[in-house]
Amino acid sequence: MSDDDDLLPALRAAQGGDEQGFATLWRALQPAVLRYLRVVVGDAAEDVASETWLQAARDLHRFSGDGAAFRGWLFRIARHRGIDERRRVGRRPEEPVASGGSPDSGLRARDAAAEAMEGSDTRWALELISSLPSDQAEAVMLRVVAGLDVATTAKVLGKRSGAVRVATMRGLRRLAAHPQVQARNAPVAGNAPIDPALPEGV
Amino acid sequence: MEGLVELLDAARTSTPGEDLAGERAAVAGFLAARQRAVPTAPPRRRNRAVRTIAMKVALGFAVLAFGGTALAARTGSLPPAAQERAHDIFSQAGVPAPDRSRQPSAGGGPTSAVPSRLPTPGRSVTSAPGGTTVLDLCRVWDAARQDPPGKAVPAPTRRALAAAAGGMPEIDGFCAKQLGKSAEPSGPPSSGTASKPAEPPKPGKPTTTGKPSDTPSHPGKGHGTSKRPDHPKGRGRNGG
């Protein structure tokens, strides 16, 4: 990805101790990290993103690789911090976390303050993706939003490439079939107007 | 499919200015990590479990260290025992121990850090390893404080600082003190710390040793009569 080639000078500078380099990395990747974490941990995303960057800063001297590898490395940190956060919240009795299996409740809801930080379209999109089963939601976020390739995504998720492909495809298919997404399809196509109330099990 | 494309675009797009509040905190964390990093250590790949444990231990230690450090930092240095323990904990967790050779040997603190400016990365800053943790967290706090207050500070940092300072509202003052102290080149403690051992006994405090030369400011002999009516005349008697 050319994007990651652009990151390489900043990465090398940061590894050499340059704070500007690190700030460049942060600016380039923080939005995607935050969105990914939004889907994983809901409104704890900012906190977990901060922890992610602190750990990245601490371990940067141990990292070797190019820009694309750094992207994968960073998201692996983000995922583990996210898992830690979900465990922590899961242990807290007053705020039960939903079990990861069911499509609607596998991921945490977001609060109004967090929503105010993003545009309504982004909010809408992340909400829909969050409504997927968590393995599909994570695969879609890492592949499409974070821009990781299949192999890197598989590494981040600790899965095989085939499983990542399947999860991504299922997630995208499910999103495409969602009534709100269907409703946004251009009516010019001449298709019969789609009833938003249609069941989505196509 | 337009709907799906729209959805994915929306998920990807970031509006300018958004999300970027934590940059200063992240950079401060980076600088703090650079100071602690030991570049001479060979790059080793650790498995994730070890790394996770190490990080938890480090965070846990940050909390533990605060109790002692809050007191010790006032005198400008940590007790050696705390540094010993830090070393033990960290080495057990597989984390390279903080560079001890960087510690100032004794009293000769060479730094002349300017308080308003974060120190440049490298080895120019000397401070005790345990103290570095507190300062790191305070630097992160300080950097993030100017944005939305405390927003970008990671939760563990916030919790640790709150625990150390005695509550969220106290963190500002606590960190201001910490950062202020860190700017001083390990000089003498200001005054009034009770841990100073060589403090002379206060005059007027009746000592039970019965030394007659206790009364101050009268070079000659003789007990000034009626100077202190409540003071017993017979000083040698310590019945009680």
Side-chain angles (χ1 to χ4, degrees), chain B residues 172-239:
Chain B
D172 274 344
F174 175 78
C175 275
K177 215 177 288 177
Q178 293 293 322
L179 293 171
K181 288 284 180 212
S182 78
E184 292 170 14
S186 73
S190 53
S191 69
T193 33
S195 60
K196 214 172 169 186
E199 202 163 77
K202 294 223 166 72
K205 205 177 183 182
T207 50
T208 52
T209 51
K211 249 162 84 185
S213 65
D214 198 16
T215 324
S217 78
H218 286 282
K221 62 159 209 144
H223 304 166
T225 53
S226 79
K227 190 117 196 240
R228 295 178 191 159
D230 57 335
H231 218 78
K233 250 189 153 185
R235 293 177 145 260
R237 276 196 324 232
N238 46 359

Side-chain angles (χ1 to χ4, degrees), chain A residues 140-172:
Chain A
V140 167
M141 287 305 290
L142 290 174
R143 292 279 291 116
V144 178
V145 177
L148 303 182
D149 60 24
V150 172
T152 310
T153 304
K155 231 166 143 187
V156 170
L157 294 176
K159 290 182 174 180
R160 290 161 191 261
S161 294
V164 169
R165 279 203 191 87
V166 170
T168 310
M169 202 175 60
R170 284 192 182 147
L172 291 177

